[in-house]
Amino acid sequence: MRRAASLLGLLALAGCGSAPTADLPPPAGPARSPALSATPEGRIVPGARLPPQPGTTAVVERRARALRLGGEEAPAGVGPTHVVSDGGELLYVTDTAGDGVLVFHTEPRLELTRRVALPGGGPYAIAIDAQRDRLWVTLPKTNEVAELHAGPRPSLIRRHASVRQPDDIAVDERTGAVFVAGAGGAVQRLDRRTR
């Protein structure tokens, strides 16, 4: 009986976030991709580099499973990995272990307001095209890239076949072209007119 009570006490402490970071489970990472089952959309661009992306002051604390912005911190799913900002009051976080994208408002305080499910894909890298109100999320488990409407209530537009192991993504906001980096240095380009 005493052992059961001790175990319950430990579980309660682990659940409330009071455990030291070093004692937490390892952080989430990209899933291993299977062999390609579809030809990647767009085209492969040998030697291409991903365009630079706007930064954000928000930080994903992967091991602590939290999002930090300034002096504020909020829980961020079961396995958060990446964050992007819309340049205003919204932040988007990929919850890789939770198969979704989390939406946070930053005003009046940092707060999780919505979760968009992307089942089976293990969403990992994320980029935003603020000019065209699009979010782009890599799905390494299925070798796909999800295209979503951005905003406070993101919704899936469609999934695009990608290069194998799509672990990085960027948008050229000038043209709307999306670049996806995968295994072996392959870089895929999705142009607006070919999507």
Side-chain angles (χ1 to χ4, degrees):
M1 190 72 163
R2 180 177 278 171
R3 183 171 179 204
S6 295
L7 283 173
L8 285 175
L10 286 173
L11 288 173
L13 283 175
C16 74
S18 60
T21 303
D23 294 342
L24 295 172
R32 295 188 86 150
S33 293
L36 291 178
S37 60
T39 302
E41 294 179 35
R43 58 191 170 105
I44 305 301
V45 186
R49 291 178 183 241
L50 273 61
Q53 297 299 283
T56 177
T57 56
V59 176
V60 172
E61 299 289 346
R62 291 183 181 193
R63 196 155 189 182
R65 279 113 173 115
L67 179 65
R68 183 174 295 145
L69 179 64
E72 295 183 274
E73 186 172 288
V78 294
T81 52
H82 292 88
V83 61
V84 294
S85 169
D86 73 345
E89 296 180 3
L90 296 175
L91 297 170
Y92 304 94
V93 174
T94 49
D95 185 359
T96 301
D99 270 345
V101 173
L102 308 176
V103 182
F104 289 83
H105 279 267
T106 61
E107 296 295 334
R109 66 185 177 284
L110 183 62
E111 179 181 22
L112 175 64
T113 58
R114 183 161 298 278
R115 181 184 181 280
V116 180
L118 292 172
Y124 187 63
I126 187 169
I128 189 166
D129 183 346
Q131 286 187 15
R132 294 163 193 87
D133 293 322
R134 292 291 188 268
L135 285 175
W136 294 90
V137 181
T138 65
L139 305 172
K141 284 185 184 176
T142 56
N143 292 317
E144 292 176 306
V145 174
E147 177 183 2
L148 298 95
H149 288 288
R153 297 173 165 259
S155 58
L156 181 66
I157 297 170
R158 68 179 284 223
R159 291 183 181 210
H160 301 267
S162 75
V163 290
R164 188 178 165 279
Q165 196 66 49
D167 286 346
D168 203 0
I169 193 162
V171 176
D172 180 340
E173 286 223 6
R174 187 178 51 82
T175 65
V178 177
F179 295 85
V180 184
V187 175
Q188 170 186 11
R189 178 177 173 140
L190 294 165
D191 288 300
R192 289 176 61 213
R193 64 184 175 274
T194 60
R195 296 197 293 266

